């Protein structure tokens, strides 16, 4: 079976992890701070806080922005559930904004309409988690201009988009948001096995996020509420979690980050091949925008005439591991119990009905890719 995504591990990656095992601390050594520094250099962000998953990073972003009961957080239905769950962890309400049919990112028109309605109802969101679906950045400047007057915080869920660009700046720089989140799950741009990070330009947000990622404990005397009893002293000043990344994971992430650009280029080349080979088929192919360069996490196609379930089955029976990204979050039983129903976000629901993710990853061979193209062309004819 050709999977839809697969990580790449090189001898350098293995050596980096073995070096930690044989010679270094396993936790709280120098690899995590070095990985954080490398992420800042790669993206242009001022601060990076590594976490043990992208989901943990989303949670500490919400905590650091003081999101809690009584607040509302918006996101889009076409994402992984973590984009919404992070707000629920903090006791906030979640609502969704429909997607744009071309980019599958948050729709600017729908966002603008919903903000007008929310202003009238005095129920504006405290934050919006925008998702750079499939690796293509949202139009952050436009989203900022819609939300800025009301002081709405923006969190970029860039789990798909490390290595992408927006207005010639690397995704993660957080020029137009309070914070950006990456995931280093094995199907993403680079992997640390499990792992994630929060990036920000805001030193105070960085300080709070770091506190929440490590039990709410500080060893910095200036952050304590009394004078330290002695050099051993630490204080728990908030209720935090243990969301730390281990040194093994950080060493793997660092080693992978060195070749992130090469990995994204390999994805982009293969995406170009799909575009060329599939353009005459009855499919809507993922488009670009003039302002962003995708990191090509996914290659999502939309069927125009055919039944998705049938094509899915034909492809899987031929050894092609197509997938579906995503089941709209508001249709999950947990969110239905919170009051959402089918029909609430029609563009997202229609996209879900018609979409298939084709295999795309750096080591997808030319031969494997031709098998995918051949199988899809045959199944649509
Ligand atoms: C992968 C992913 C996450 C969560 O990442 P983990 O590292 O698996 O916790 C969050 N949001 C989106 C859009 C993702 O694709």
């Amino acid at each position: 079976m050709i999977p839809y995504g697969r990580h790449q591990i090189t001898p350098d990656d293995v050596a980096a992890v073995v070096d930690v095992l044989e010679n270094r601390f396993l936790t709280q050594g120098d690899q995590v701070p070095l990985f954080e520094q490398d992420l800042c250099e790669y993206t242009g962000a001022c601060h990076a806080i590594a976490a043990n998953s992208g989901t943990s990073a989303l949670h500490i972003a919400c905590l650091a922005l003081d999101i809690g009961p009584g607040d509302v957080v918006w996101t889009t239905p076409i994402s992984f559930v973590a984009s919404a769950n992070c707000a629920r962890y903090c006791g906030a309400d979640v609502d969704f904004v429909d997607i744009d049919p071309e980019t599958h990112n948050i729709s600017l028109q729908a966002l603008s309409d919903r903000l007008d309605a929310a202003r009238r109802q005095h129920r504006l969101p405290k934050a919006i988690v925008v998702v750079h679906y499939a690796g293509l950045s949202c139009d952050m400047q436009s989203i900022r201009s819609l939300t800025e007057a009301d002081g709405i915080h923006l969190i970029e869920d860039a789990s798909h988009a490390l290595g992408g660009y927006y207005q010639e700046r690397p995704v993660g720089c957080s020029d137009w948001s309070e914070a950006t989140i990456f995931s280093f799950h094995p199907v993403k741009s680079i992997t640390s096995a499990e792992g994630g990070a929060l990036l920000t330009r805001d030193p105070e947000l960085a300080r709070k996020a770091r506190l929440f990622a490590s039990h709410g404990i500080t060893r910095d005397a200036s952050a304590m509420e009394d004078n330290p009893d002695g050099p051993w002293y630490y204080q728990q000043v908030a209720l935090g979690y243990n969301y730390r990344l281990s040194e093994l994971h950080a060493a793997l992430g660092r080693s992978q980050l060195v070749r992130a650009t090469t990995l994204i280029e390999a994805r982009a080349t293969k995406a170009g091949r799909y575009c060329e080979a599939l353009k005459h088929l009855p499919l809507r192919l993922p488009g670009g925008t003039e302002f962003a360069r995708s990191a090509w996490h996914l290659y999502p196609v939309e069927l125009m005439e055919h039944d998705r379930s049938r094509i899915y089955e034909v492809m899987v029976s031929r050894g092609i591991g197509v997938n579906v990204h995503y089941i709209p979050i508001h249709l999950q039983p947990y969110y239905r119990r919170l009051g959402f129903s089918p029909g609430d976000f029609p563009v997202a629901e229609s996209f879900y009905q018609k979409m298939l993710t084709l295999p795309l990853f750096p080591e997808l061979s030319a031969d494997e890719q031709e098998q995918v193209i051949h199988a899809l062309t045959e199944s649509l004819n």
Side-chain angles (χ1 to χ4, degrees), residues 65 72-74 111 114-115 118-119 123-129 143-144 146-155 176-178:
L65 290 168
V72 191
V73 174
W74 291 359
L111 177 60
R114 289 289 298 284
L115 286 167
R119 280 185 199 105
R123 185 81 170 129
L124 281 161
K126 181 148 179 177
I128 305 178
V129 179
I143 294 171
R144 192 58 135 184
L146 287 173
T147 53
E148 162 163 75
D150 293 296
I152 298 166
H153 301 311
L154 297 178
I155 301 171
W176 305 101
S177 65
E178 272 55 49

Side-chain angles (χ1 to χ4, degrees), residues 4 51-58 78-84 129-134 157-160 181-188 193-197 297-298 325-326 329:
Y4 85 88
N52 57 7
S53 72
T55 304
S56 308
L58 281 164
I78 296 297
S79 185
F80 184 56
V81 291
S83 307
V129 179
V130 298
V131 181
H132 303 322
Y133 177 77
D157 181 345
S159 295
H160 299 182
I181 268 57
F182 290 136
S183 164
F184 309 125
H185 178 279
V187 295
K188 310 288 164 80
E194 295 281 2
H297 167 57
L298 300 174
H325 293 96
Y326 289 92
I329 301 173

